[in-house]
Amino acid sequence: MSQYLQTCIEPHLGSFAASFAAENYSAGTVKTYLSILRKVGHAMDVQGIGPSALTLDMAEHLGRKVPRKKTGTIWPYRLARRFAQHLLDIGVTHPVPLSEAQQARAALLADFETYLVKHRGLSPRTIYHTLRFANRFLDHRFGDAMVDPGRLRPADVISFLEHVMASARRDKTIAKHVRIFLQYLFGSGATATNLALSLPRTAKRWGARLPRHLVPEGVEAVLACVRHNPRHGARDYAMLLIMARLGLRAAEVIAIRLDDVDWRAGELLVRGKGKLHDRVPISSEVGDALSRYLREERGPTSCRMMFVTHRAPHRPFNDGQIVNAVLKDALKATGQKPVTPYVGSHLLRHSLAVQLVNSGASLDEVGDVLRHRSRTSTMIYARLDIDGLRSIAMPWPVVGGAQ
């Protein structure tokens, strides 16, 4: 380790460590981060790269060469990139000037992002992926040259899809993201024709499988398992309970703010898809779970999001993957197996809908609980209404006419 103690980045590690301490990181965590960064600094010394010459991409490249512990949660390349951003913030390095083509592309994507936020009302996660595929499409068609949307043709769209699909394992959303970008280009006047019409739709077998769900006893077993987790059971239990009782989506759960709970009226403001807001009633069970989490587990933070990370600096979650991970661990611990293989947190939402149908609720009532905007979304649960299907089933024909 002695070769890592005095590297070219040593004068700047103190201010970098102070930035972590200001965000309530523990001293042990900061120490671990600095030891990893010193390995990046050693690589910079070997290649003759000084701190003033370090760019974000260069730092990421060096960080990917640092070995990562198999059981660790720290990605060295992310830490190296953050350090490069810190050097940029304190004036040690300066932004790399963009070429005219890069400036034009950045302006186009920035305007596209504004469109996604204000006109489409998409979630931050969807916006991120849509922008990423839009940028990849421009790379595929124009490379480093000046972007000229007016030169785009249907063949360019098909060529990009074939290129991406050749290496993609899943093809559910690629066409959707590209279609949104092409609709934006046509709507803004950048293209003379709507190239989105030339984009083939992804084949989808409607109703190919039943909604994944658990029986009521399985749902209760999962909730009980999560609740008794000694580390952060109160937080995880509150998140899953909201999904199991109110039918919220994972993204809607992590989007809950402290101000969204009206304790006097017993209501919760749900920030749904498409920036649509709904108010749903919360039971005393849900209220008690939220209260316990706020009192016992939520760490000191100025963040107004309801659910934050367990470790400092207690930040909000980027997406709903934390809910998927908690549910997956609980299923494994309890031995619960959905009717069809588990894929995500929608399992609890589906389980609530199936329970309502089996209790005699109409499809319209189920749609109201799940806040569906289209009745088509609710129709998938009609196949699980066994009594209703039995009432309309035709008798099985028997030889001789006997029933």
Side-chain angles (χ1 to χ4, degrees):
M1 289 294 295
S2 59
Q3 72 270 29
Y4 300 139
L5 295 181
Q6 291 297 327
T7 64
C8 61
I9 65 173
E10 198 66 30
H12 310 292
L13 291 183
S15 60
F16 188 59
S19 68
F20 281 102
E23 296 181 2
N24 296 321
Y25 279 85
S26 67
T29 300
V30 176
K31 183 178 180 181
T32 302
Y33 287 174
L34 295 183
S35 66
I36 295 175
L37 275 179
R38 287 190 173 98
K39 296 179 181 179
V40 176
H42 177 69
M44 292 172 59
D45 289 341
V46 171
Q47 298 189 22
I49 302 174
S52 61
L54 186 67
T55 65
L56 295 176
D57 293 338
M58 195 181 300
E60 180 174 336
H61 177 72
L62 294 172
R64 289 186 181 277
K65 294 183 178 181
V66 175
R68 173 177 174 263
K69 293 183 179 179
K70 294 182 178 180
T71 58
T73 59
I74 303 172
W75 293 90
Y77 78 90
R78 294 179 180 175
L79 188 61
R81 192 176 180 89
R82 175 163 176 168
F83 177 69
Q85 182 62 49
H86 173 71
L87 294 180
L88 188 63
D89 294 339
I90 63 177
V92 175
T93 61
H94 301 283
V96 178
L98 298 178
S99 65
E100 185 178 355
Q102 291 173 328
Q103 292 177 10
R105 178 184 297 196
L108 176 64
L109 293 178
D111 188 65
F112 179 46
E113 183 176 8
T114 302
Y115 163 81
L116 295 176
V117 174
K118 294 186 176 181
H119 297 280
R120 299 298 292 255
L122 301 180
S123 67
R125 180 177 176 83
T126 303
I127 290 175
Y128 166 77
H129 289 294
T130 304
L131 286 173
R132 186 166 63 94
F133 277 107
N135 193 41
R136 288 181 62 181
F137 174 58
L138 296 176
D139 268 338
H140 178 78
R141 174 59 181 85
F142 299 105
D144 295 331
M146 179 67 71
V147 172
D148 183 5
R151 295 167 53 193
L152 292 174
R153 298 293 181 266
D156 300 326
V157 181
I158 303 301
S159 173
F160 173 69
L161 281 184
E162 291 176 345
H163 169 72
V164 175
M165 301 298 289
S167 58
R169 293 182 297 173
R170 300 199 306 174
D171 58 352
K172 290 183 178 180
T173 60
I174 297 175
K176 180 188 72 174
H177 294 309
V178 177
R179 184 176 292 108
I180 293 175
F181 182 53
L182 297 176
Q183 290 171 346
Y184 155 77
L185 292 177
F186 178 65
S188 62
T191 57
T193 58
N194 187 1
L195 295 176
L197 300 178
S198 66
L199 192 64
R201 293 188 175 273
T202 305
K204 178 180 179 181
R205 295 179 59 192
W206 175 256
R209 61 183 176 220
L210 295 174
R212 298 173 171 89
H213 65 280
L214 295 173
V215 296
E217 295 77 12
V219 174
E220 298 305 319
V222 167
L223 292 175
C225 173
V226 173
R227 183 174 189 176
H228 294 97
N229 186 322
R231 292 191 59 211
H232 35 79
R235 183 200 66 187
D236 296 349
Y237 174 71
M239 291 193 298
L240 295 194
L241 185 67
I242 290 175
M243 301 178 68
R245 300 293 190 255
L246 305 181
L248 268 66
R249 305 174 179 89
E252 294 168 344
V253 171
I254 65 169
I256 297 175
R257 296 177 172 271
L258 296 175
D259 303 324
D260 292 342
V261 182
D262 188 336
W263 298 98
R264 292 185 178 275
E267 291 182 342
L268 172 66
L269 176 66
V270 180
R271 303 173 186 271
K273 297 172 65 175
K275 292 193 178 298
L276 296 175
H277 294 176
D278 297 286
R279 288 193 174 275
V280 298
I282 57 176
S283 63
S284 58
E285 180 187 23
V286 174
D288 290 342
L290 289 174
S291 176
R292 178 191 167 213
Y293 161 64
L294 293 174
R295 293 195 317 266
E296 300 178 5
E297 279 192 7
R298 193 173 187 272
T301 176
S302 59
C303 174
R304 299 301 295 173
M305 305 304 294
M306 173 69 73
F307 299 108
V308 295
T309 58
H310 183 63
R311 298 173 59 184
H314 307 296
R315 293 174 175 168
F317 297 106
N318 294 327
D319 51 49
Q321 293 304 313
I322 177 62
V323 182
N324 295 339
V326 171
L327 182 55
K328 189 174 182 179
D329 291 342
L331 289 173
K332 183 177 180 180
T334 59
Q336 299 295 323
K337 293 184 178 180
V339 176
T340 50
Y342 165 82
V343 290
S345 56
H346 253 48
L347 177 68
L348 294 179
R349 182 175 167 88
H350 289 324
S351 300
L352 174 62
V354 173
Q355 184 177 356
L356 291 174
V357 170
N358 292 337
S359 300
S362 66
L363 291 180
D364 288 336
E365 291 171 333
V366 174
D368 289 340
V369 172
L370 299 184
R371 292 164 290 105
H372 285 158
R373 307 302 171 188
S374 171
R375 200 169 192 271
T376 305
S377 302
T378 317
M379 290 299 295
I380 62 173
Y381 302 108
R383 292 172 295 151
L384 297 173
D385 186 2
I386 304 302
D387 293 335
L389 293 175
R390 186 179 291 115
S391 66
I392 62 174
M394 299 294 291
W396 189 262
V398 180
V399 177
Q403 301 296 328

